[in-house]
Amino acid sequence: MYLRAVHTETSIPVLRQLILNHPLGVLTTAIPHASKRYPTILSSHLPWVLDVQDATSETELGVLRGHLARANPQTKSMIEHLESRGLSNGSVLEEEVLVLFTAPAHHYVTTKFYTETKPQTGKVVPTWNYAAAQVYGKAKIWYDSKAPESGAFLSKQLRDLSQHAETSIMGFDGQEQRPKAWKVEDAPESYVAIMQKGIIGIEIEIERLEGKFKMSQELGAGDREGVIKGFEALGTDIGAEIAETVRRRGESKDAASKKS
C-alpha cells in the first residue's frame, strides 16, 4: 500500500475500528513449495475477530482470529508448509502474512467535482477515494481436527465472530423490537461439530498495522467543497458517506495545518 503522508492514518485506534466495522479481510500468503502443487501467492476473503486487551490503548495492535475451509488450496498450502518442516498443529508459519481490509464506501472521483482547479487550469485528473488498513504478522495455524486445542480455538472463534457480526454489524440486540442475535448454540451440536471439522483456525499476532484514508484531503478547500457537493448530489448512501468523510478529513487536515 502506497502511504502518501497526506493520506496516511497514524492512529492505531482508528485503524482498529476500521477492522471492527468492516471485518471481511483478504488474507494473502506467499509460501514457496518445492512440489509446485500450489501457487506461491494465494489469497482468501475471510471474516475476522480482532482481539484487543485494552480498547482504550493508543498503541496495542491486537490479534486477529479467523478460519478457512479445509478444502481451500490456501489451507492445504499452509498445512503442507508446516508438515514439510516437521511442525505440528498450532505452529507458526515462517513467512509473514498480510491481511487487507477495505471500507465499503469507495468511489470514482470525476474531475467535474474539482470546481476550483479545473476551470482555472484544467490540470486535474480523476482518481478513486477509499479507506483501507493492512495487517502484517506471523500466523499460527490450528489444523488438527482431533486436537483439543484446535477444537477450543475454533469453538471460541465461531462464537465470538457470530456475536460480533450479529450484534455490532447487524444490530440484533433484542431491544426495541429488534430480533435477538443468532448464536452458534441455536444450531444442533452434532451439526456444528461436523461443520467445524471442515475448517481450520488461523491466529495472527499483529506486528504492523498501517492504513490510509484517501478522501480528497490533498485538495484545496475549493476543490474539496466541490467533491463534497458532487457526492451529495449523487443521492446515494455511498455518496453521502464519502461526502461526510471528505468533509471530516478536510477539517482535520486544516486543523493540523493551523497547529503547525
Side-chain angles (χ1 to χ4, degrees), residues 18 22 101-106 130-133 213 215 241:
L18 188 151
H22 314 295
F101 297 88
T102 305
H106 59 86
Y130 64 94
F213 281 74
M215 288 290 173
E241 184 172 347

Side-chain angles (χ1 to χ4, degrees), residues 183-200:
K183 298 180 179 179
V184 174
E185 290 79 2
D186 293 339
E189 185 176 349
S190 58
Y191 173 75
V192 173
I194 292 173
M195 297 299 291
Q196 194 165 297
K197 288 181 180 179
I199 59 177
I200 69 160

Side-chain angles (χ1 to χ4, degrees), residues 213 215 217 224 228 240-255:
F213 281 74
M215 288 290 173
Q217 62 265 52
R224 286 206 313 267
I228 293 169
E241 184 172 347
I242 291 180
E244 179 58 28
T245 306
V246 170
R247 178 180 286 108
R248 292 198 311 268
R249 288 279 153 174
E251 290 172 351
S252 297
K253 172 196 171 186
D254 292 343

Side-chain angles (χ1 to χ4, degrees), residues 36-52:
K36 304 296 182 182
R37 291 177 61 192
Y38 307 104
T40 298
I41 300 176
L42 290 167
S43 293
S44 299
H45 286 78
L46 310 174
W48 298 87
V49 172
L50 175 62
D51 289 327
V52 179

Side-chain angles (χ1 to χ4, degrees), residues 60-260:
E60 185 181 353
L61 302 181
V63 175
L64 285 178
R65 286 186 284 125
H67 64 276
L68 297 85
R70 190 172 291 275
N72 188 328
Q74 193 170 18
T75 296
K76 296 177 180 180
S77 170
M78 293 188 292
I79 293 176
E80 181 179 287
H81 169 80
L82 293 174
E83 292 183 339
S84 68
R85 287 159 175 75
L87 301 174
S88 59
N89 179 61
S91 295
V92 177
L93 295 173
E94 295 177 12
E95 288 80 4
E96 186 178 53
V97 302
L98 164 68
V99 185
L100 177 64
F101 297 88
T102 305
H106 59 86
H107 209 287
Y108 172 78
V109 185
T110 173
T111 59
K112 295 180 184 296
F113 290 171
Y114 301 150
T115 53
E116 183 175 66
T117 304
K118 186 176 184 294
Q120 292 178 359
T121 69
K123 295 180 179 180
V124 290
V125 292
T127 188
W128 205 283
N129 277 0
Y130 64 94
Q134 58 186 16
V135 167
Y136 292 92
K138 293 296 184 68
K140 182 181 294 186
I141 311 300
W142 303 97
Y143 64 89
D144 185 352
S145 61
K146 297 180 181 180
E149 297 85 359
S150 295
F153 176 89
L154 289 171
S155 292
K156 178 174 174 55
Q157 152 67 13
L158 295 176
R159 283 166 174 76
D160 290 350
L161 178 61
S162 297
Q163 181 183 25
H164 176 66
E166 291 281 320
T167 58
S168 298
I169 296 177
M170 297 301 299
F172 295 157
D173 55 10
Q175 302 296 319
E176 298 181 1
Q177 299 184 342
R178 295 286 291 173
K180 290 183 179 180
W182 178 86
K183 298 180 179 179
V184 174
E185 290 79 2
D186 293 339
E189 185 176 349
S190 58
Y191 173 75
V192 173
I194 292 173
M195 297 299 291
Q196 194 165 297
K197 288 181 180 179
I199 59 177
I200 69 160
I202 179 169
E203 183 177 12
I204 302 173
E205 185 81 31
I206 300 177
E207 297 177 348
R208 195 160 84 253
L209 175 57
E210 302 170 339
K212 65 191 295 184
F213 281 74
K214 184 179 176 296
M215 288 290 173
S216 302
Q217 62 265 52
E218 76 280 5
L219 302 176
D223 285 336
R224 286 206 313 267
E225 188 60 29
V227 170
I228 293 169
K229 290 180 178 179
F231 276 114
E232 288 176 338
L234 294 179
T236 64
D237 291 341
I238 288 179
E241 184 172 347
I242 291 180
E244 179 58 28
T245 306
V246 170
R247 178 180 286 108
R248 292 198 311 268
R249 288 279 153 174
E251 290 172 351
S252 297
K253 172 196 171 186
D254 292 343
S257 296
K258 290 179 181 178
K259 289 182 180 179
S260 59

